[in-house]
Amino acid sequence: AQSVSQHNHHVILSEAASLELGCNYSYGGTVNLFWYVQYPGQHLQLLLKYFSGDPLVKGIKGFEAEFIKSKFSFNLRKPSVQWSDTAEYFCAVNADNYGQNFVFGPGTRLSVLP
Amino acid sequence: DSGVTQTPKHLITATGQRVTLRCSPRSGDLSVYWYQQSLDQGLQFLIQYYNGEERAKGNILERFSAQQFPDLHSELNLSSLELGDSALYFCASSDLAGRSYNEQFFGPGTRLTVL
């Protein structure tokens, strides 16, 4: 079965620091990849997604992610974080051959200090 | 606002009871997903319905069941509730139409507390 791992459970950064959150998945076929964000007390919102084409994907709020097929990775990046980026970040995979159910990673909690 | 609505927002009940959570998907979305989010288990996929039929099943307990009605709204029924069922239950919808790259749109969730 497919699975998703996220490297860090909790990341603490100061404002203006650069961010990279790791995501790795286990599935050898075609995958669609997503990053969701959950702000405190809110529901999950899509940050960005990859399904084909340019492996460098740009999302909302200055986030981007790079799909590296050979490494089964889809890391999320942001050059300069803000206090408002404090949230939980979830990587998700939807593999074509597994029907339409998503597999979410365990999440990474990001705390940005002002 | 994602366009997905869930009711109620909060639910407090006792062990052994049964509750029903309701979800209305975005207009036009045929697929509904249910998730359970708890501190120790993270975000767990429970079940998916597509146009009224069960499409995929995840880590859903036998005490839980769901259905999707002709108007596409969905209900998640939780019975014989235990303390460990306390969690945030999310519903999400997507417009599949065979496109697995479509993202899911999440509702605000129902916070269930079992006392």
Side-chain angles (χ1 to χ4, degrees):
Chain A
Q2 59 194 38
S3 65
V4 180
S5 61
Q6 292 183 236
H7 303 170
N8 309 97
H9 179 64
H10 189 191
V11 173
I12 303 173
L13 295 174
S14 297
E15 274 194 315
S18 64
L19 170 72
E20 180 159 3
L21 301 182
C23 171
N24 285 90
Y25 64 92
S26 65
Y27 181 67
T30 302
V31 292
N32 304 301
L33 299 157
F34 307 79
W35 274 99
Y36 282 84
V37 61
Q38 186 178 25
Y39 297 104
Q42 294 189 28
H43 60 281
L44 278 78
Q45 303 170 46
L46 182 72
L47 271 180
L48 47 80
K49 67 178 181 181
Y50 169 83
F51 57 94
S52 67
D54 189 343
L56 185 61
V57 180
K58 294 195 184 299
I60 61 171
K61 305 189 182 189
F63 286 91
E64 66 178 31
E66 185 175 12
F67 170 50
I68 303 179
K69 191 173 180 179
S70 61
K71 294 185 178 180
F72 299 91
S73 70
F74 190 55
N75 292 354
L76 181 71
R77 299 195 291 249
K78 186 171 183 179
S80 176
V81 294
Q82 301 174 305
W83 176 79
S84 58
D85 293 324
T86 295
E88 185 127 20
Y89 292 81
F90 294 90
C91 180
V93 172
N94 187 9
D96 281 350
N97 292 342
Y98 280 84
Q100 305 306 312
N101 54 309
F102 279 48
V103 175
F104 280 84
T108 296
R109 186 154 64 101
L110 172 66
S111 298
V112 180
L113 307 177
Chain B
D1 184 2
S2 66
V4 179
T5 60
Q6 288 186 251
T7 56
K9 194 170 182 179
H10 300 279
L11 199 48
I12 301 174
T13 188
T15 54
Q17 295 298 305
R18 173 190 167 95
V19 297
T20 297
L21 313 183
R22 184 188 167 103
C23 168
S24 292
R26 290 189 322 154
S27 177
D29 284 358
L30 299 179
S31 207
V32 169
Y33 308 75
W34 285 98
Y35 292 87
Q36 179 192 60
Q37 186 179 37
S38 59
L39 284 175
D40 55 343
Q41 295 288 325
L43 193 62
Q44 298 282 317
F45 166 70
L46 295 178
I47 197 164
Q48 179 208 353
Y49 276 82
Y50 176 73
N51 203 20
E53 293 190 5
E54 183 183 303
R55 174 67 70 91
K57 221 168 186 177
N59 300 321
I60 188 165
L61 300 172
E62 284 191 14
R63 300 183 285 109
F64 297 180
S65 65
Q67 57 185 130
Q68 187 178 26
F69 294 87
D71 66 352
L72 300 178
H73 91 271
S74 177
E75 292 182 355
L76 179 68
N77 301 297
L78 316 176
S79 61
S80 303
L81 285 167
E82 302 174 0
L83 295 177
D85 297 328
S86 295
L88 198 52
Y89 290 84
F90 284 109
C91 165
S93 75
S94 75
D95 169 21
L96 280 182
R99 297 188 294 263
S100 63
Y101 54 78
N102 281 355
E103 71 264 29
Q104 297 181 9
F105 293 86
F106 282 77
T110 293
R111 182 167 296 282
L112 173 66
T113 303
V114 182
L115 301 175

